[in-house]
Amino acid sequence: GGVKRTPDALLYALAQYLYSLQSPANPNPMNALARRGEAVFQSAGCGNCHTPPLYTNNRLTLARGFNPPPALLKEADIVPVSVDTDPNLALKTRKGTGLYRVPSLRMLWLEACFLHDGSIGTLEEMFDPARLQPGFRSSNWNAATSAHAVTGHPFGLTLDAASRSALIAFLKTL
């Protein structure tokens, strides 16, 4: 009647299967525009959190409004900075850690939604400053979802149109 543990042999077999899977071919070329985007990525400091080659530092970041106890900062690998991520999932659910893991940007071109809650539908929307306005509507919202600002991850919102386009082209090559 106690806690049942998955057998190690089964977990090992599952891991071996997952490692055997091949990624689909990326249709986005590393062309001149994407190379300019890689320079934007580097100069904007994106690699501090989304560190190549995995394009993540695998660290935790604070949800907006979460003030961790000092002991937690010492024992967990936490970037003691918030990227203004909506705290609802991190603080108001049963898991409620107050933290989000820095996601990998690899295979971003396969994603249909972005941010921890899927509130952004495209990379173009991700870097569009209009998403901070109360009348914003994401392309992946259904008709019942009311327009509202989508805050969090403010990085890249001040890029000019050419730099934004180049950055998106680069991100799609990962």
Side-chain angles (χ1 to χ4, degrees), residues 6-81:
T6 304
D8 287 344
L10 182 59
L11 292 174
Y12 179 76
L14 180 60
Q16 290 300 310
Y17 169 72
L18 290 175
Y19 284 127
S20 76
L21 297 176
Q22 295 296 313
S23 302
N26 188 333
N28 302 290
M30 179 54 100
N31 56 23
L33 180 63
R35 280 190 284 286
R36 284 195 306 274
E38 184 174 20
V40 171
F41 183 88
Q42 292 170 349
S43 66
C46 302
N48 293 337
C49 293
H50 301 285
T51 311
L54 299 177
Y55 292 92
T56 180
N57 60 12
N58 274 321
R59 295 182 73 193
L60 300 170
T61 184
L62 308 173
R64 180 179 359 137
F66 179 59
N67 296 312
L72 181 62
L73 287 173
K74 288 180 184 173
E75 72 181 54
D77 195 8
I78 298 173
V79 179
V81 174

Side-chain angles (χ1 to χ4, degrees), residues 82-118:
S82 174
V83 295
D84 199 30
T85 309
D86 178 2
N88 282 319
L89 292 176
L91 294 174
K92 299 178 181 174
T93 62
R94 65 180 170 83
K95 189 173 182 182
T97 64
L99 304 164
Y100 290 107
R101 183 163 305 280
V102 174
S104 172
L105 302 181
R106 291 188 66 222
M107 295 180 56
L108 204 57
W109 61 275
L110 279 175
E111 297 296 325
C113 55
F114 302 93
L115 294 181
H116 69 284
D117 59 357

Side-chain angles (χ1 to χ4, degrees), residues 44-46 49-50 61-64 81-86 115-116 120 123-132 150-160 164 167:
C46 302
C49 293
H50 301 285
T61 184
L62 308 173
R64 180 179 359 137
V81 174
S82 174
V83 295
D84 199 30
T85 309
D86 178 2
L115 294 181
H116 69 284
I120 297 292
L123 284 172
E124 288 75 15
E125 290 176 2
M126 182 70 189
F127 298 107
D128 184 353
R131 73 176 167 89
L132 302 177
V150 178
T151 60
H153 198 280
F155 312 105
L157 294 177
T158 60
L159 293 173
D160 61 73
R164 186 171 39 245
L167 177 61

